[in-house]
Amino acid sequence: MRIGVLTGGGDCPGLNAVIRAVVRKGVGTYGHEFVGFRDGWKGPLEGITRPLGIPEVRGILPRGGTILGSSRTNPFKIENGVERIKQNLADMGIDALVAIGGEDTLGVATKLTDLGVHVVGVPKTIDNDLGATDFTFGFDTAVNIAMEAIDRLHTTAESHHRTVVVEVMGRHAGWIALHAGLAGGANVILLPEQKFDLDKVVEHVETRFKTNYSPIIVISEGAMPTDGDMVTLNGELDAFGHVRLGGIGNWLADQLEKRTGKEARAVVLGHTQRGGTPTAFDRVLATRFGLHAIDAVHEGDWGKMVALRGTEIVRVPLIEATRELKTVPAHRYTEAEAFFG
């Protein structure tokens, strides 16, 4: 069998571990041949490939990003995009695709499956917001990066008696903010799932200063005040209809400084959360996903995604992964409030 592999959407630690596992088991156990498609769905759309065999995956386990490259190409927004993909796959003798990605990449995979393309999906996103799986690889690394930054910011905040607002990624789901904020001992955690009252945030900050400690606030990029909307960098939409978020941290720091009279600074972690070597948890999860994904391909179990349920890897219909985003439930937010102070 000749199998194509692609990675789409935002990069994250663990992508190379999946690629490595798929290829090593696919070649060594099943004798399959692999083709690497470059830059997400742009690869099969334009026929852009690179070699992908055992030599190409040696040494990539600890490497961040993806050796295949990525993009936010949406073939369904391009004239004759689907037909071009089908034709290119046929011309290159590709029997199946392993698509590694998040909501958008797997959304395309779901539609292509319905149109007869043989696809198996692997869930990837640092936001941990894909349905049907308990965890996605990349999330643990992103949380640890954010936590370490928060740890470091505590000391500089205390030294200068200032509020520090840490903006982390999270468009619609606040998993990174919740986990990193709790692990890093933040005083306020603001998520996209629940609009925040600026007056209450100010109250928390002033209370913290009264105890002679400086407050740390962790805020998701998609968080919103009760009387406002998401803060965007520009009004442009990408191929999947998303705007670029950013700026809520700076807005909040400015408001807090005006309201409290105390200096406030914002730190935007941005793409730092996506970069660097994956944690042990993400390496293991990504490797297990890859091993089970190639099993599904070998068995011809198309239209499925590998997922983590408890401690086991299972297969679920691709449609389950993208039907509804997994957001932070209200009871988890309530749990976190017990640690604010």
Side-chain angles (χ1 to χ4, degrees), residues 132-146:
T133 185
D134 291 346
F135 284 99
T136 54
F137 67 87
F139 171 67
D140 186 70
T141 303
V143 168
N144 276 276
I145 290 169

Side-chain angles (χ1 to χ4, degrees), residues 167 170-172 221-223 230-234 243-248:
E167 181 183 314
R171 176 181 296 272
H172 299 295
E221 61 184 348
M230 286 183 177
V231 178
T232 62
L233 294 177
N234 56 55
V243 294
R244 287 183 61 195
L245 299 182
I248 187 63

Side-chain angles (χ1 to χ4, degrees), residues 165-171 173-178 181-182 186-198 200-202 204-205 216-225 248-249 251-253 256 328 333 336-337 340:
V165 178
V166 186
E167 181 183 314
V168 300
M169 285 185 167
R171 176 181 296 272
W175 292 107
I176 294 177
L178 179 66
L182 284 174
N187 308 111
V188 177
I189 303 172
L190 304 174
L191 313 180
E193 289 85 349
Q194 181 173 323
K195 288 192 172 187
F196 62 89
D197 185 329
L198 181 58
K200 290 185 177 180
V201 176
V202 170
H204 273 290
V205 168
I216 299 288
I217 299 172
V218 177
I219 184 168
S220 295
E221 61 184 348
M224 296 173 283
I248 187 63
W251 177 87
L252 181 59
L256 292 176
V328 178
Y333 194 86
E337 289 181 339
F340 292 170

